[in-house]
Amino acid sequence: MQKRSLRRLWKQIILFLSKLAGFLRGNRRRLKRRRHLLKDRVAQTPLNRDIPSQVEQPILGNAENNEASVTSLAPHIQSQVEQPISGNENVLQNVKGNNNINVGRVEGSLTINYRRPIDRPFQAPSLPANFVDRPQVTVEIKARLLANTFNAGALLISAIHGLGGIGKTTLVTALAHDEDIQKRFSGGVLWATLGQQPDILALLSSWVQALGDYEFSAINIEATSAYLRSLLHDKAVLLVVDDAWEPDKVKPFLVASSQSQLLITSRRADVADSVGAYLQQLNLMTPGRFSLSLIVP
């Protein structure tokens, strides 16, 4: 009797599982059909080409402070409008019909670009609203970053050294947002902030994912660095290692070819020396050393 009861129970379980599997297969087919129907509807939906191509909007949300406010959205119109932001003639809003908008031309060496192609990684943080350019530092670093290193055969490394809170990260952020730098490094900007106790493997993995590979399984630092080197071997990428404290923590990020460059910020000069970096000292800013602040809408 017990054996018969067990057999009946097993048959009921098997029958239930088979019905459940059939239901799931059918549900999957229904979902696929719905997706295909949705794609067909989207493909067959005509685009409305009667939408006006001109939109008027204030840059800072204050119409009284803006002298011009017309932005061209038509991609075939190669127009450019220059207008002062908040009445400051040195900070301009450049509107171009090619979908590249330069916001804030900083007096000195930088032209800030907030509109970038979406097909490349850009991990640099946003620039603060009260940014002040320091041309005595950025001119030299920018010139070094723009140098043609394709035939050098080795990764060119630069480092900005200075006290904590002196503005190293902000200056590197501004360089990453510069239009000329973005053109030079067409492969994008990869950024890693280390600190005193960095998770090196997690930061390297974030670079792998930023390059579009979400399937790679990061087992250890050495294997992930080697894989990054293979991904970057033919790309021109700006690598930023921010707030580095120990030389050994920087070396896993030396993963790019001579087409790319590495920029380090650190409070310690020996970090730059250990990796053969060109060292740029950043000193305290005095009131007479700046002339213009950037206002971001």
Side-chain angles (χ1 to χ4, degrees):
M1 291 293 292
Q2 291 181 352
K3 290 183 179 180
R4 290 180 181 176
S5 299
L6 288 173
R7 284 176 189 158
R8 280 197 298 269
L9 180 60
W10 275 113
K11 286 180 180 179
Q12 291 175 357
I13 292 173
I14 293 171
L15 181 61
F16 172 76
L17 291 176
S18 63
K19 289 182 178 179
L20 179 61
F23 171 78
L24 293 176
R25 281 196 298 270
N27 194 33
R28 190 184 308 167
R29 292 193 194 99
R30 285 191 293 273
L31 289 174
K32 284 184 178 179
R33 277 194 229 104
R34 289 178 183 174
R35 280 198 292 267
H36 287 310
L37 288 173
L38 183 59
K39 287 181 181 178
D40 292 339
R41 288 177 184 174
V42 172
Q44 294 173 5
T45 301
L47 295 176
N48 187 357
R49 302 188 181 276
D50 297 328
I51 299 175
S53 60
Q54 302 293 329
V55 178
E56 293 190 358
Q57 56 185 8
I59 296 176
L60 291 178
N62 188 345
E64 296 178 356
N65 291 331
N66 295 309
E67 296 181 2
S69 60
V70 178
T71 302
S72 173
L73 300 181
H76 62 278
I77 300 176
Q78 296 298 323
S79 63
Q80 179 170 341
V81 178
E82 292 190 352
Q83 61 189 34
I85 299 177
S86 293
N88 192 331
E89 296 180 356
N90 292 320
V91 184
L92 300 177
Q93 165 92 355
N94 299 328
V95 182
K96 297 181 180 179
N98 58 4
N99 294 328
N100 289 322
I101 300 179
N102 305 322
V103 181
R105 177 176 296 166
V106 181
E107 183 177 326
S109 63
L110 304 179
T111 301
I112 306 304
N113 180 21
Y114 287 103
R115 287 287 298 273
R116 295 170 299 274
I118 61 175
D119 60 343
R120 66 192 65 172
F122 189 86
Q123 294 183 322
S126 300
L127 198 61
N130 59 347
F131 168 70
V132 176
D133 187 25
R134 301 175 68 174
Q136 70 277 10
V137 178
T138 56
V139 168
E140 186 174 353
I141 293 294
K142 179 178 176 178
R144 187 172 176 83
L145 291 175
L146 294 177
N148 185 358
T149 60
F150 291 4
N151 299 322
L155 178 67
L156 189 64
I157 307 173
S158 303
I160 298 178
H161 165 251
L163 299 174
I166 205 170
K168 302 183 296 296
T169 300
T170 302
L171 281 184
V172 175
T173 300
L175 285 165
H177 282 279
D178 179 69
E179 183 182 25
D180 295 331
I181 296 296
Q182 292 173 12
K183 288 179 180 178
R184 162 66 175 83
F185 298 101
S186 57
V189 176
L190 297 176
W191 187 292
T193 300
L194 302 190
Q196 291 181 291
Q197 296 180 337
D199 188 344
I200 302 296
L201 186 58
L203 291 170
L204 292 173
S205 299
S206 73
W207 282 13
V208 173
Q209 293 182 5
L211 292 169
D213 190 339
Y214 294 90
E215 303 296 329
F216 177 75
S217 178
I219 301 174
N220 54 55
I221 293 174
E222 292 76 14
T224 308
S225 291
Y227 185 63
L228 272 169
R229 198 170 290 110
S230 68
L231 291 177
L232 296 172
H233 79 282
D234 60 347
K235 290 182 172 61
V237 179
L238 176 61
L239 309 177
V240 178
V241 176
D242 184 35
D243 196 20
W245 285 72
E246 299 178 24
D248 292 341
K249 305 297 185 182
V250 175
K251 292 177 180 178
F253 296 92
L254 306 178
V255 293
S257 66
S258 60
Q259 299 183 40
S260 303
Q261 291 199 39
L262 175 65
L263 187 54
I264 303 169
T265 70
S266 179
R267 305 183 188 191
R268 298 172 48 181
D270 62 318
V271 172
D273 295 336
S274 67
V275 294
Y278 168 80
L279 185 61
Q280 175 70 51
Q281 179 73 30
L282 186 63
N283 299 313
L284 288 171
M285 182 184 292
T286 58
R289 299 177 77 172
F290 67 89
S291 59
L292 182 65
S293 61
L294 172 66
I295 303 173
V296 181

